[in-house]
Amino acid sequence: MKKLWSKRCQSLTPYVPGEQPRREKLIKLNTNENPYPPSPAVIEAIRTAAADLRLYPDPTCEEVRTALAQSLGVKPNQVFVGNGSDEVLSLAFCAFFDPDKPIRFADITYSFYPVFADFYGLRYEEIPLDETFTLPVEPFLEPDYGVVLANPNAPTGREMNFCDLRNIVEADPNRVVIVDEAYVDFGARSAVELVNEFPNLLVVQTLSKSRALAGLRVGFAIGNENLIAALNTVKDSFNSYPVDRLAQAGAVAAIRDREYFRLTVGKVRTTRSCTELALHDMGFTVCDSAANFLFVSHKKLSAQKLLDELRQRGILVRWWDKPRIRDYLRITIGTEEEMKALCEAMKEIIGGTTDTE
């Protein structure tokens, strides 16, 4: 099976992405995609860019960096752009962490972090969240540890206390703290405002979620010029052209259309609140969420049973068979109509069983 594989390749345990089904007419609430299309300006920009694909794209993504810098209140040389935030995170693990010093992240968080660490031969420690899925601050204040924080966290959706986050960054100026803000636009306070104060802070964001560009693959990092230079060094040691011309054109248009961004994010947040209330009324435990998803459990039925029952009704959600969270489902916020269908299905499932799994 693994004949001709290198020993390193044989030892890897890759990340498992959420299911991307071929079947039509499913309500897809399992991969945290935006339920609304991208800005019409994005489609027009891509159409224009597609007229000439002879030339390589700009390896520096200058227009994207300039648009992001203007939007976020930083300088263009404080912005790095990559092929989705996963690539940016991977390059950051390589650029800022060494095998002789472990890194720390939560035990319940984005499951790509240990994959990145293993790929680069890095030691890591998983710090347990408390019973409410809140991050304990003290272990992250200790010096000599690299730090990776998802804020809001995934899959729980919880937002970190901003003072706690600041204290972690401030605790040791000689180590890099990476704050992964893939879902920040849906209600959390961004750490971007701290990058000019702390040269050891790198904030990573994406256009996949709040700008509805998951299919275009554009992520970015904001930080001190020194950190950005390190990311460029690593990037240019792998691939100098990771972001194609269409993606760059679409990204610039999405960043500039602030009105459309506010409109669609507002819709998601409103639908999230309504869905949370409806699930509460059905007896669900729902974690506080600042993301575009909810993390829920029900005492009457196991999460796996709910997962299977929903799938039979054409609704996909996400479940992990892992300690501490196997009783929870992560449900992406869809359109208002999709979430009404989810809630109706949940009522039917819960009301039609005496099961106590």
Side-chain angles (χ1 to χ4, degrees):
M1 178 68 180
K2 296 183 178 181
K3 184 179 179 181
L4 303 182
W5 291 27
S6 70
K7 291 181 180 179
R8 180 68 179 279
C9 186
Q10 292 180 41
S11 71
L12 296 177
T13 303
Y15 172 77
V16 179
E19 180 183 2
Q20 296 288 350
R22 302 294 182 184
R23 174 182 159 193
E24 296 182 358
K25 296 184 179 179
L26 286 171
I27 297 178
K28 191 171 179 296
L29 307 176
N30 65 325
T31 50
N32 296 343
E33 292 144 324
N34 197 310
Y36 303 106
S39 161
V42 171
I43 307 304
E44 183 58 34
I46 292 173
R47 185 178 291 114
T48 300
D52 187 359
L53 299 178
R54 300 175 303 110
L55 305 178
Y56 283 107
D58 176 9
T60 70
C61 297
E62 182 177 357
E63 284 192 65
V64 184
R65 291 188 299 107
T66 298
L68 285 167
Q70 292 172 347
S71 175
L72 297 170
V74 296
K75 300 174 183 177
N77 62 358
Q78 291 179 279
V79 182
F80 174 87
V81 179
N83 186 254
S85 62
D86 286 339
E87 180 187 75
V88 177
L89 287 165
S90 175
L91 298 178
F93 270 63
C94 180
F96 306 120
F97 301 139
D98 290 307
D100 60 338
K101 288 187 178 181
I103 56 178
R104 286 181 173 176
F105 42 79
D107 65 332
I108 300 169
T109 192
Y110 187 29
S111 52
F112 226 139
Y113 301 157
V115 175
F116 292 142
D118 288 338
F119 184 81
Y120 291 111
L122 304 170
R123 292 183 293 136
Y124 62 90
E125 297 177 6
E126 296 178 306
I127 306 301
L129 302 180
D130 71 14
E131 63 279 0
T132 66
F133 299 132
T134 299
L135 188 80
V137 177
E138 289 73 17
F140 294 94
L141 298 177
E142 297 179 16
D144 298 325
Y145 289 90
V147 172
V148 183
L149 305 169
N151 188 44
N153 195 21
T156 67
R158 291 190 65 100
E159 178 184 10
M160 276 192 69
N161 178 284
F162 194 78
C163 290
D164 289 342
L165 192 154
R166 181 191 179 93
N167 289 338
I168 291 170
V169 177
E170 192 174 29
D172 182 2
N174 297 313
R175 55 94 185 271
V176 172
V177 175
I178 298 173
V179 182
D180 180 1
E181 294 187 343
Y183 303 99
V184 72
D185 291 325
F186 296 102
R189 183 176 175 182
S190 175
V192 169
E193 65 185 83
L194 300 177
V195 297
N196 287 327
E197 184 177 355
F198 297 106
N200 62 320
L201 171 63
L202 187 80
V203 179
V204 178
Q205 295 187 12
T206 179
L207 300 185
S208 294
K209 314 300 183 183
S210 60
R211 264 76 171 198
L213 296 181
L216 213 57
R217 312 310 302 130
V218 179
F220 56 96
I222 309 97
N224 179 273
E225 294 91 334
N226 177 56
L227 301 185
I228 301 305
L231 288 173
N232 279 311
T233 296
V234 176
K235 186 247 320 178
D236 288 333
S237 300
F238 280 91
N239 178 9
S240 292
Y241 303 99
V243 186
D244 66 53
R245 294 173 69 89
L246 304 186
Q248 291 188 40
V252 170
I255 295 159
R256 289 177 176 167
D257 195 345
R258 297 289 299 175
E259 182 177 353
Y260 186 85
F261 162 73
R262 286 191 290 266
L263 175 66
T264 53
V265 167
K267 286 182 179 180
V268 171
R269 294 180 66 173
T270 298
T271 307
R272 181 184 68 200
S273 297
C274 293
T275 304
E276 181 178 0
L277 287 173
L279 292 174
H280 269 304
D281 289 344
M282 285 183 257
F284 280 88
T285 297
V286 184
C287 292
D288 292 337
S289 177
N292 68 333
F293 56 84
L294 296 172
F295 200 52
V296 309
S297 67
H298 199 282
K299 61 183 179 181
K300 191 174 182 181
L301 283 173
S302 71
Q304 186 175 20
K305 176 70 172 177
L306 288 168
L307 175 86
D308 294 339
E309 291 286 344
L310 287 170
R311 187 180 184 88
Q312 289 178 24
R313 291 162 174 81
I315 301 174
L316 300 184
V317 295
R318 193 82 190 265
W319 174 68
W320 288 269
D321 187 12
K322 293 182 178 181
R324 301 188 66 198
I325 61 171
R326 60 171 51 97
D327 289 333
Y328 285 80
L329 293 176
R330 192 195 69 190
I331 303 171
T332 303
I333 301 301
T335 63
E336 183 178 350
E337 293 74 19
E338 288 172 333
M339 302 316 288
K340 284 181 178 178
L342 168 85
C343 290
E344 288 302 316
M346 287 295 202
K347 287 179 183 177
E348 182 181 311
I349 295 165
I350 294 167
T353 182
T354 56
D355 209 312
T356 55
E357 292 182 74

